[in-house]
Amino acid sequence: MQTDITEAHLNTPQGKEADAILRSCVHCGFCLATCPTYQLVGDELDSPRGRIYLIKQVLEGETPTQKTQLHLDRCLTCRACESTCPSGVQYGRLVDIGRELVEQKVSRTMPDRFLRSSLRYVLPRAGLFNSLLALGRVARPVLPQVLKDKIPLKVAAGLWPTTSHPRKMLLLDGCVQPGMAPNINSATARVLDKLGVQLIRADKVGCCGAISHHLNAQQEALQYVKRNIDAWWPDIEAGAEAVVVTASGCGTMVQEYGHLLQHDLVYANKAARVSELFRDVSQVIAREQNRLAELLKSSNKSNSYKIAFHAPCSLQHGLKLKNIVEPLLSAAGFSLTAVPDAHLCCGSAGTYSITQPELSKQLLKNKVTALESGAPDFIATANIGCLTHIQSGASKNVKHWIEVLDERLV
């Protein structure tokens, strides 16, 4: 499409990038068919095409309003539109730029500012979050159902392997996952240990930065990004062959480290290297299929379980890793049930279930209906946010797929 971006915006890296993305859009409307919010609301301004138009207006000098902000807030950043777009429009990057610009010009209500600031303060701080989570678990029996749904029961992490291997990979520990589902990372370490890989948890690695980034605090997000790069760098220099992420939502952020810091004179090269080394855990396992097959063959544990696999938006649309986990589960002997509309978001989307609860509930209901339609024994997924969100509405147990594989290899 044609653009008339103001000179002030075109003189910034973000403005130049936004202009290039806008020009790649042909306004065909294919994205409307796969946009979850447009399917629910039916308002074109709640579709990628409509939001692109709103962002274009702001970049061309029009003053954004609270209505502009509302439509951008309602976007899940699921990026299903990117998988559909025939022109390769990088909508996810464009909406981040647009949100930041609108955030600078449109004031939020006091309750909204408080909610967003609280999320940014609590969630990335693992120690604080875990303390509050522990209190929530104690009080869980007397809490209203809406709060109970967000507080998972405590589970054991399981043993972390102690064997040293020549092959070493780094782990993104994450912020909320170790407290909410500690067994995911340790299960990953156990599976990789069986494959001859040692998983390393570097000190001072924490939140990937996605929470702040998607709540329009981009500079704050970059501080988390830089901290992780600094923490990983000694092991990267020592030869670590990958940075492994078990939450696909975090993975989409780590994949972008190089892009986010491309103009930083100190961190650009290091960030690019981290993004180059990034691997979703599914990519690591998929490359070890021969060894995995041997382990499965020697395992005495058989199964006849049916699994419904929920492919998170961050996995299939953000990381473009569609149909990578399902063959691994099939190879392990599980029967996968059909999931209608598997491309649609479950409504978790980071903090979306908290900031946009009504839309999130509708998406959750639709997703659970789809996942349970094939009468599975349980549900598997690849992202902690999706896991806890789906569990709050599902009648079946929900696990991370790497935990399922770990149990199969015992």
Side-chain angles (χ1 to χ4, degrees):
M1 68 171 67
Q2 292 184 332
T3 62
D4 187 22
I5 309 299
T6 65
E7 186 175 347
H9 288 310
L10 280 178
N11 286 332
T12 66
Q14 292 80 6
K16 291 176 182 176
E17 181 181 11
D19 186 48
I21 295 171
L22 287 168
R23 288 178 179 274
S24 69
C25 175
V26 297
H27 238 54
C28 64
F30 282 18
C31 55
L32 274 67
T34 55
C35 176
T37 50
Y38 180 71
Q39 299 302 312
L40 292 180
V41 179
D43 184 340
E44 184 156 343
L45 293 179
D46 282 312
S47 75
R49 186 167 70 175
R51 293 180 181 116
I52 287 173
Y53 178 72
L54 291 174
I55 295 168
K56 178 176 180 287
Q57 285 184 314
V58 175
L59 288 164
E60 291 179 340
E62 292 197 27
T63 303
T65 65
Q66 288 187 333
K67 189 172 184 290
T68 310
Q69 191 174 62
L70 173 64
H71 291 300
L72 295 186
D73 283 350
R74 282 179 176 173
C75 175
L76 292 140
T77 323
C78 70
R79 295 167 67 174
C81 54
E82 292 187 12
S83 294
T84 308
C85 180
S87 302
V89 175
Q90 294 180 304
Y91 172 81
R93 290 180 178 175
L94 180 64
V95 79
D96 283 340
I97 293 170
R99 282 170 167 166
E100 185 176 18
L101 290 173
V102 172
E103 194 78 13
Q104 294 167 0
K105 298 180 179 181
V106 179
S107 298
R108 293 186 178 274
T109 64
M110 183 66 75
D112 196 15
R113 289 203 304 272
F114 176 77
L115 174 62
R116 288 167 171 266
S117 296
S118 298
L119 292 171
R120 284 167 40 208
Y121 186 80
V122 174
L123 296 182
R125 293 171 168 81
L128 176 59
F129 175 80
N130 289 341
S131 296
L132 294 175
L133 180 61
L135 289 174
R137 283 170 171 156
V138 171
R140 196 174 188 275
V142 297
L143 292 175
Q145 191 62 44
V146 66
L147 292 179
K148 281 184 181 180
D149 290 341
K150 297 187 181 302
I151 302 175
L153 298 173
K154 187 174 182 179
V155 295
L159 296 176
W160 191 280
T162 57
T163 305
S164 179
H165 296 284
R167 296 182 63 194
K168 301 182 190 303
M169 297 183 183
L170 290 159
L171 174 72
L172 174 71
D173 241 344
C175 47
V176 302
Q177 182 172 286
M180 298 184 79
N183 189 52
I184 294 175
N185 285 341
S186 56
T188 302
R190 291 191 294 270
V191 172
L192 291 187
D193 177 60
K194 291 182 175 70
L195 296 172
V197 177
Q198 182 180 356
L199 197 59
I200 301 170
R201 291 182 291 188
D203 291 337
K204 297 183 180 178
V205 170
C207 179
C208 65
I211 292 171
S212 298
H213 187 74
H214 293 304
L215 288 172
N216 308 325
Q218 279 82 353
Q219 292 306 309
E220 178 180 272
L222 292 181
Q223 296 308 308
Y224 290 114
V225 172
K226 291 176 181 178
R227 180 195 63 187
N228 287 343
I229 292 172
D230 288 339
W232 284 324
W233 199 248
D235 287 298
I236 289 174
E237 288 190 310
E241 61 182 85
V243 175
V244 180
V245 182
T246 56
S248 58
C250 299
T252 57
M253 184 69 178
V254 177
Q255 181 180 248
E256 292 290 312
Y257 276 14
H259 174 76
L260 293 170
L261 289 172
Q262 62 181 315
H263 302 294
D264 189 295
L265 296 178
V266 176
Y267 282 90
N269 291 335
K270 290 181 178 181
R273 180 61 177 154
V274 169
S275 290
E276 181 185 358
L277 290 175
F278 158 74
R279 298 288 184 275
D280 182 81
V281 62
S282 62
Q283 293 175 288
V284 177
I285 304 300
R287 292 180 181 182
E288 304 291 335
Q289 287 193 61
N290 291 338
R291 176 59 180 149
L292 178 63
E294 293 175 3
L295 292 171
L296 290 168
K297 187 175 181 180
S298 62
S299 174
N300 295 320
K301 193 170 185 179
S302 61
N303 69 77
S304 57
Y305 291 118
K306 292 197 300 180
I307 300 178
F309 179 70
H310 166 67
C313 301
S314 47
L315 186 72
Q316 59 175 319
H317 306 308
L319 297 176
K320 312 299 184 189
L321 295 175
K322 192 173 183 179
N323 295 323
I324 188 171
V325 173
E326 293 91 330
L328 297 175
L329 292 174
S330 295
F334 297 100
S335 175
L336 297 179
T337 63
V339 180
D341 295 323
H343 64 284
L344 292 178
C345 184
C346 69
S348 173
T351 59
Y352 192 91
S353 63
I354 300 173
T355 60
Q356 301 290 332
E358 294 307 315
L359 289 175
S360 178
K361 286 176 185 176
Q362 294 178 61
L363 292 168
L364 173 62
K365 182 179 178 181
N366 294 343
K367 180 57 67 176
V368 169
T369 298
L371 287 167
E372 296 188 344
S373 64
D377 294 303
F378 57 89
I379 298 166
T381 187
N383 186 56
I384 181 62
C386 301
L387 190 157
T388 54
H389 188 58
I390 293 171
Q391 187 66 81
S392 71
S395 62
K396 305 292 184 178
N397 192 23
V398 186
K399 303 178 181 180
H400 193 290
W401 72 270
I402 197 69
E403 295 180 286
V404 176
L405 186 58
D406 176 50
E407 293 169 4
R408 175 70 177 82
L409 292 174
V410 172

